[in-house]
Amino acid sequence: MTIEMLLGAGVLAATLRLATPILFAALGGVITERSGVTNIALEGCMLVGAFFGVFVADKTGSLGVAIAAGVLAGIVLAALHAVAAVTFRADQIVTGMALNILALGLTSYLDYEAYATTGTPSTIPLVPDFVVPGLSQVPFVSDVIGRQNTLVWAAIIATVVLQLYLFRTIPGLRLRAVGEHPRAADTVGVNVYTTRYLAVLASGALAALGGVYLSLGAVGSFSDNMTGGRGFIGLAAMIFGRWTPIGALVASLIFGYGDALSVSLQGVTIGDLRVPVQLLSTIPYVLTILAVAGFVGRSRMPAADGQPYESEGH
Amino acid sequence: MTDAPILEMLGISKRFGDVQALDHVDLVVGQGEIHALVGENGAGKTTLMNILYGLYRTDTGSIRLRGKDARITSPRDAIALGIGMIHQHFMLVPPLTVAENVVLGDERSGPVLDRRAMERRVRELEEKFRIIAEPSARIEDLPLGIQQRVEILKVLYRGSDLLIFDEPTAVLTPQEVDELFEIVRALRAEGKTLILITHKLREVLAVSDRITVLRDGKNAGQLVTKDTTASEIAQAMVGRELEEALGRGTKVREDIVLEIRGLRAKSDRGADAIKGIDLDVRSGEILGIAGVGGNGQSELAQCILGLRKVAGGVIKVGGIDVAHDDPERTRERGVAYVPEDRRIEGLVLPFTVADNFMLGKQEAAPYARFGILDLTFIAREGDRLAREFDVRPPNARAIVGTLSGGNQQKVVLGRELSAEPKLIVANQPTRGLDIAATEYVHRRLIAQRERGCAVLLISSELDEVRALSDRIAVMFEGRVMATLDARTATEQQLGLLMAGHADALPR
């Protein structure tokens, strides 16, 4: 085992790549839960984003339209969740889970119908890498961030924007108030339903962007259930990050690093001992459990998170 | 003071299903006065105010504001017309700051959040009305009295000149009540009009100018405060004369039922909540614990019941040390408990009345045989206790959460007292109850004392402690300052002891 395997540019670059879809889902989780709606359908939003990104890229040949279509698919799925959870006050875990199953079945079916014999075409337009100008001469750094997918940067920018939005703007203040004490917000004229709808739709869009990154950025094709639980891991990153965008970024990087290590340490031995990669890759989840159980400082969810709101009066 | 009325609500009626909540009620409030709207729980006070605030529509009648007809269909209309509501359950967002809560929904800037400008504006408002609350402090770090000021500031910030206070003193300590009344009077001096919804007569007399009494959804009296008395108001509210539920214990015996020596315990946060307490309660005696809430009274009750870990000392019930017993064992020794918050600790709200009567007794005959509940017996016993303890409606199949606070407390009493306990620990047994329900609880506790039971009565209502107790122990910061004979202790003495002045002791 060498330092290269633990902290080499390759491992760090992989960390960023692997953290990105988790981060998108985590950001979606932050905005929806800050408004008081749990959305575990983020996994499904990500999956439909991944599929419709590839599908529309194939049909139209336009990357822009493809990304928009992927995001739109995520928004549509999230809208179903919003209708059930906000308007009809359904159990948010149940509807979220149902939508995940729907997304999995739908994308697998459409994938089979469209590409069963051929597989996803290799000619579709993909999201290009972004070459940071003037960095090619800088050793190490250029290997880590010099050539990352554009959506990796988009995720980081989205983190900063969302952080500022939530904690430095009036609409962000109102959104947080709705997630903590919806009746208080309602009595001073903040529309709880509109706020929650928009937050849920935004969460679907963000998670779907993570899916688009997976299919059109990282892999270049779609395969059944290709998100493989990253939406859920995103929710864990949100909790670990204490419901803040910056925290979610840090948590996603830790999870991404865990993933990257389990790749780079594959088959590596120390003396006679083979590094237990599978065990290493559980570290993020152990950290999550500790975070949720309150061992890593105070981690408190928005007070009205997951609770349907019914306005007063007749 | 009362020139043209600022508000005239005339002939207001409101029906909810089969219930006529309001029946042609009039409320006329003069400009610049403090108007008390009083009545028992369920008399229609809150419904009337919710109509004024736009949460409900009235079925009949009219609302005139400053001489003009007012159409109020939502709280937004009400706010626009200068009506502000200070809710009983504060409408504050705990993790946000004072300033953020005050301006929320009406930020007058943006979209970027300028905290400094926000805090400056709130501070100016505070200076104008002499209401102090640090604008940058988080709500969750503030005591309830200060939180209420923030509620008042919210309303003033929106330019209200007619302020409705819904049961404003329910959650306040006596000192905080005094401070609130100073604020209320200062607001009147600034030309504001205030409507105070309450059922506490002492407060009505202390602060109001005029009084409107509601009973069962109808007008039951319009009084001028300086020309009336507490008993006149109470009679209008209840519709009959009240019995004085007083009289000291006649049968105080020598046998000590509860003996506490050197008790120490920690609070939930790990601070020393009880710092060495000695107490005796005898058979046939009510020992009142007076004190401002949060001075260790609740922890004391929890220690006796085995709900809190005892850090040191002895708690003997009938001569047996129960300090380290669990609640089940303690109860088996004949200890009954009326907890501070009946909705959380006292009852399972989604359960029926009968099931709540049974709680804690469900494991053995006659309630269960071989681990199977005897549903017939439980239903029959539920009906019997519901009648005996005057639960209304007298239906043991009703869900407890749908009952009024007074009837919920009757269910707690029914369960706790029907086992003929040796010791009753009652923590704030009348909090939030109206006059009739309070009277009922008092009568029940006195009946238990006459039966020979020992009662430990914890209450932050000094009047209640003085009326019922044989002896009064005053708690302050985890210690018993003194134990006085209730017949000779003066209110002033007790008040000073509650504030921690040991030199108030009679020599």
Side-chain angles (χ1 to χ4, degrees), chain B residues 232-446:
Chain B
E232 192 181 356
I233 307 169
Q235 209 166 321
M237 283 166 69
V238 183
R240 61 181 163 85
E241 281 198 55
L242 288 164
E243 308 159 34
E244 284 281 296
L246 301 186
R248 305 293 161 204
T250 50
K251 297 176 187 162
V252 179
R253 299 180 200 145
E254 283 310 299
D255 53 319
I256 295 172
V257 177
L258 174 68
E259 180 181 352
I260 295 176
R261 291 289 175 270
L263 179 67
R264 286 181 291 112
K266 294 200 180 295
S267 72
D268 289 341
R269 293 187 175 175
D272 289 325
I274 301 181
K275 304 167 186 168
I277 282 183
D278 299 331
L279 282 178
D280 293 325
V281 189
R282 288 162 206 279
S283 172
E285 172 185 59
I286 296 181
L287 177 71
I289 304 276
V292 177
N295 276 295
Q297 300 97 314
S298 296
E299 286 84 356
L300 171 64
Q302 291 159 356
C303 284
I304 297 169
L305 263 294
L307 292 164
R308 178 171 295 273
K309 200 174 160 200
V310 170
V314 176
I315 302 173
K316 283 186 183 171
V317 174
I320 300 161
D321 190 359
V322 301
H324 303 286
D325 282 357
D326 61 25
E328 190 179 358
R329 288 192 59 124
T330 307
R331 283 173 163 279
E332 281 167 8
R333 306 232 181 270
V335 181
Y337 183 38
V338 180
E340 185 173 17
D341 189 335
R342 58 185 162 271
R343 298 174 62 83
I344 294 171
E345 290 180 273
L347 298 164
V348 181
L349 293 180
F351 279 16
T352 63
V353 170
D355 288 347
N356 273 285
F357 277 138
M358 170 193 69
L359 284 180
K361 309 169 188 167
Q362 71 275 14
E363 292 191 4
Y367 290 90
R369 270 173 240 282
F370 311 112
I372 309 283
L373 291 174
D374 182 345
L375 298 178
T376 320
F377 178 81
I378 291 166
R380 195 152 29 88
E381 184 70 1
D383 283 331
R384 188 182 71 76
L385 285 173
R387 272 195 309 276
E388 186 184 332
F389 283 85
D390 193 29
V391 177
R392 293 180 206 180
N395 171 12
R397 279 166 296 284
I399 301 298
V400 162
T402 63
L403 302 182
S404 71
N407 283 298
Q408 289 180 356
Q409 193 71 324
K410 288 175 185 172
V411 177
V412 173
L413 291 178
R415 182 183 65 224
E416 298 296 320
L417 306 187
S418 59
E420 306 224 322
K422 279 194 285 191
L423 169 69
I424 299 167
V425 178
N427 191 3
Q428 312 288 358
T430 60
R431 177 175 284 176
L433 303 188
D434 60 25
I435 296 177
T438 299
E439 187 196 14
Y440 182 89
V441 172
H442 288 171
R443 276 208 317 264
R444 281 287 175 176
L445 290 177
I446 286 168

Side-chain angles (χ1 to χ4, degrees), chain A residues 141-186:
Chain A
V141 177
S142 72
D143 293 334
V144 179
I145 61 167
R147 257 193 110 78
Q148 286 284 4
N149 193 276
T150 311
L151 286 174
V152 173
W153 290 107
I156 292 167
I157 291 166
T159 306
V160 176
V161 169
L162 196 57
Q163 181 81 24
L164 293 175
Y165 175 80
L166 281 176
F167 298 103
R168 293 278 182 275
T169 73
I170 300 289
L173 175 72
R174 292 177 168 199
L175 182 131
R176 285 184 289 133
V178 166
E180 293 287 345
H181 195 332
R183 187 154 327 272
D186 195 7

Side-chain angles (χ1 to χ4, degrees), chain B residues 61-119:
Chain B
S62 65
I63 303 175
R64 286 169 70 78
L65 204 60
R66 298 177 200 90
K68 280 185 237 143
D69 277 320
R71 267 182 50 78
I72 306 172
T73 57
S74 75
R76 244 148 284 174
D77 293 345
I79 292 167
L81 287 167
I83 301 170
M85 174 92 91
I86 288 94
H87 300 267
Q88 181 182 3
H89 303 286
F90 299 153
M91 293 295 165
L92 300 172
V93 185
L96 301 188
T97 67
V98 168
E100 286 170 335
N101 269 284
V102 169
V103 305
L104 181 69
D106 186 14
E107 296 86 355
R108 296 174 204 175
S109 65
V112 174
L113 195 67
D114 185 351
R115 287 211 168 78
R116 208 164 296 164
M118 225 175 229
E119 286 166 12

Side-chain angles (χ1 to χ4, degrees), chain A residues 273-291:
Chain A
L273 187 73
R274 212 164 62 80
V275 176
V277 179
Q278 289 83 353
L279 217 56
L280 273 181
S281 57
T282 64
I283 289 174
Y285 310 108
V286 173
L287 288 177
T288 303
I289 292 169
L290 291 179

